[in-house]
Amino acid sequence: MSKPSEFLCTERCIQHIEDANLSLYALRLVHGCHFLVDQTPGLSMQNMALHADRHYTVRCQTLLEATGTPNANDFDMIREGIKGLQNGKVLSHLTLHESGRKLTFHFQKNYATNANRAKSEKFAMVDVDEVRTLRTREQIMFYTRCAMVLKSQFPMFWLPWKPSEEKRWVEAKKPWMAAARRIGERLGLDCILVPEVCVETDEVTRVKVKLVKKVSQWSPGKLFPRDGQGVVVVIDGKSATLSRSELRRRRDWRRPDRP
């Protein structure tokens, strides 16, 4: 049974949000709006997908109570979130009333359609009480991916990061490591991050994340790769990069910290 602070977010919606490349406050605002649609009687994503002219108006304070910074009294999340959502990739309509106390919004049709779960589709039960405590965009995206796979026997996912000319993995790594440490502590998880390296350029092209719960179901030889460079373990909220010899020593371990 879900908690009152949770809402169902499909894998397609999570991917849609990641593709939109949103800022921290924009992510908080999107999750807050989605949560309120889910929680409001008579309102649904299905209706939003069918009726583009039926916008929803909500008190800004209600949004802040859902995904705003705990104990903060300012409206930065609303103002900055609106700025980060002007491209219309997630919300097709977004207007702050003149009083600054109410917000009218409507989800983009594809997003609203994607919110209706297809049979056997992966999903995350996103807890807004968790979202409101997270401090970076990377932490929120890492959390939603964890929430989607956590009930799997062998939970893993590809990090929602792509290399670019401006940001290779060496530059992007720091905030993602911080996200892994914080979410690991919040959810009681250990993590292993395994970079996939292009043999031609020697650059990281993507990063696989494997999660280990308190009772590990990983089999010997399945958790750690046979070889690799830059493999990181996150244990009890602390991270360390493994050398090749350390990686080989852990080859048959079922947990990051012990055999």
Side-chain angles (χ1 to χ4, degrees):
M1 186 174 178
S2 63
K3 294 166 57 179
S5 56
E6 290 181 334
F7 69 94
L8 189 152
C9 192
T10 67
E11 182 177 25
R12 285 173 295 152
C13 278
I14 290 173
Q15 187 65 57
H16 193 132
I17 291 170
E18 292 169 356
D19 290 344
N21 193 28
L22 303 179
S23 65
L24 168 64
Y25 287 129
L27 283 168
R28 283 187 174 182
L29 188 54
V30 165
H31 285 304
C33 289
H34 194 151
F35 172 71
L36 290 174
V37 170
D38 183 79
Q39 295 291 309
T40 303
L43 192 63
S44 70
M45 284 294 192
Q46 185 175 9
N47 284 337
M48 281 207 163
L50 293 173
H51 305 288
D53 58 334
R54 295 185 185 176
H55 306 329
Y56 180 55
T57 298
V58 62
R59 291 173 61 248
C60 291
Q61 188 59 43
T62 302
L63 279 167
L64 290 172
E65 289 169 359
T67 54
T69 303
N71 303 317
N73 295 317
D74 60 66
F75 280 62
D76 284 349
M77 185 190 89
I78 305 295
R79 292 190 293 267
E80 296 302 318
I82 290 172
K83 288 180 184 178
L85 290 163
Q86 289 303 307
N87 57 21
K89 291 182 178 179
V90 181
L91 290 162
S92 59
H93 181 90
L94 189 60
T95 303
L96 183 65
H97 293 210
E98 287 186 11
S99 66
R101 295 180 181 276
K102 292 183 179 180
L103 183 76
T104 298
F105 69 88
H106 195 289
F107 276 98
Q108 195 258 359
K109 183 176 180 180
N110 285 345
Y111 184 92
T113 300
N114 289 340
N116 295 295
R117 185 187 173 217
K119 188 177 181 180
S120 301
E121 181 181 9
K122 290 181 180 179
F123 66 93
M125 294 306 298
V126 176
D127 190 340
V128 292
D129 283 349
E130 291 291 341
V131 171
R132 65 199 300 263
T133 67
L134 303 177
R135 301 169 183 170
T136 68
R137 57 188 298 275
E138 289 83 5
Q139 289 177 12
I140 291 179
M141 289 190 287
F142 197 97
Y143 163 69
T144 53
R145 282 288 167 179
C146 284
M148 189 170 65
V149 302
L150 199 53
K151 292 184 179 180
S152 304
Q153 187 175 12
F154 308 111
M156 70 178 89
F157 59 89
W158 291 102
L159 202 67
W161 164 84
K162 295 178 181 178
S164 65
E165 292 182 3
E166 296 79 21
K167 239 179 189 182
R168 301 173 300 155
W169 178 239
V170 67
E171 287 92 18
K173 180 179 178 180
K174 186 176 180 179
W176 286 111
M177 291 301 98
R181 291 192 295 268
R182 183 168 178 82
I183 304 307
E185 280 193 299
R186 296 286 303 179
L187 302 183
L189 300 168
D190 292 332
C191 315
I192 298 175
L193 289 86
V194 184
E196 189 173 276
V197 180
C198 175
V199 293
E200 296 179 354
T201 64
D202 205 34
E203 293 286 349
V204 175
T205 55
R206 56 181 183 167
V207 180
K208 179 179 284 186
V209 180
K210 296 182 177 182
L211 306 177
V212 184
K213 294 175 273 190
K214 290 182 179 179
V215 178
S216 176
Q217 293 181 295
W218 290 95
S219 303
K222 298 296 184 181
L223 185 58
F224 286 95
R226 290 184 178 276
D227 195 14
Q229 60 186 66
V231 176
V232 176
V233 292
V234 179
I235 303 167
D236 295 332
K238 298 179 180 179
S239 59
T241 302
L242 301 180
S243 65
R244 275 194 162 92
S245 61
E246 291 171 327
L247 187 60
R248 285 192 293 271
R249 189 166 66 89
R250 287 168 168 77
R251 180 69 189 97
D252 292 324
W253 288 18
R254 299 179 62 246
R255 292 191 56 83
D257 54 346
R258 61 181 183 272

